Amino acid sequence: MRCPYCRYSDSRVLDSREADEGRAIRRRRSCVACGRRFTTMEEAILVVVKRSGVREPFSRAKIEVGVRKACQGRPADDDAIAALAQSVEETIRAQGVPEVSSHDVGLAILRPLRDLDEVAYLRFASVYKNFESLADFEREIASLTAGPPESSQDQPARFGNVMQTNGKVPSLGL
Ligand SMILES: [Zn+2]
């Protein structure tokens, strides 16, 4: 770990402590060359295995991009989307596994997205659950309206919305 001030390659650890409920280690260091102090964080990398087999580090930013696409034209704001991405990361990290599939990441997004915006949820679900027909949408909408009774009177309009965008969002980038 190079010193961020002088780039020297060696430093002395002054203090180590657990951070993020034991999922990370924070170290206070002192540069051997210039003596200045800096802090490093060490945590296990959470790896996402894509359908193609490619492995990449988990990215909360990517989740936000995917969810924002699904929320296009919907009232969900950036703060809500950022909070959703954070809760997805917490859910996945709480599983305590070093690797997850991109499909599992998608599934972890579905539940909080359903609470955030039902139309965005249906768009997202149509990709992740491989909806192929009107019947798939109808089944999903039936399960939505069978859930906590919120607003079921404007259902036909919302359904129209979903069908319009279905096909325009073939990939959510995850
Ligand atoms: Zn230095």
Side-chain angles (χ1 to χ4, degrees):
M1 184 72 207
R2 287 184 182 275
C3 168
Y5 300 102
C6 75
R7 312 288 298 159
Y8 192 71
S9 61
D10 197 13
S11 61
R12 203 156 50 86
V13 175
L14 305 172
D15 181 50
S16 295
R17 58 184 62 188
E18 281 192 356
D20 199 14
E21 294 172 346
R23 284 194 286 271
I25 299 275
R26 189 196 309 269
R27 291 201 165 92
R28 193 82 183 127
R29 295 171 180 271
S30 163
C31 174
V32 170
C34 75
R36 278 184 274 199
R37 296 181 174 189
F38 56 98
T39 303
T40 56
M41 283 279 274
E42 181 179 307
E43 64 180 342
I45 289 179
L46 179 61
V47 172
V48 176
V49 184
K50 305 184 84 163
R51 212 168 303 176
S52 60
V54 171
R55 289 170 151 73
E56 59 181 34
F58 175 88
S59 161
R60 200 191 295 184
K62 267 199 156 175
I63 289 184
E64 290 184 24
V65 169
V67 170
R68 198 169 292 125
K69 273 189 198 172
C71 288
Q72 248 164 36
R74 302 296 304 167
D77 64 22
D78 279 355
D79 285 349
I81 291 169
L84 185 150
Q86 184 177 344
S87 85
V88 168
E89 178 168 3
E90 284 166 3
T91 301
I92 291 170
R93 287 196 184 274
Q95 294 172 7
V97 293
E99 290 190 355
V100 290
S101 68
S102 56
H103 187 73
D104 287 342
V105 174
L107 290 178
I109 290 169
L110 283 172
R111 181 173 296 179
L113 187 56
R114 181 174 158 161
D115 294 337
L116 182 68
D117 188 283
E118 289 179 356
V119 169
Y121 165 80
L122 284 170
R123 289 174 183 159
F124 205 88
S126 72
V127 174
Y128 271 86
K129 295 186 174 181
N130 292 314
F131 285 10
E132 282 167 355
S133 67
L134 196 57
D136 290 331
F137 276 97
E138 286 170 343
R139 203 175 304 118
E140 201 63 33
I141 287 168
S143 86
L144 276 175
T145 52
E150 287 149 353
S151 55
S152 51
Q153 55 279 60
D154 57 337
Q155 195 195 104
R158 285 186 287 149
F159 188 71
N161 263 345
V162 171
M163 294 315 289
Q164 263 176 25
T165 46
N166 181 33
K168 288 184 193 164
V169 194
S171 159
L172 294 160
L174 286 162

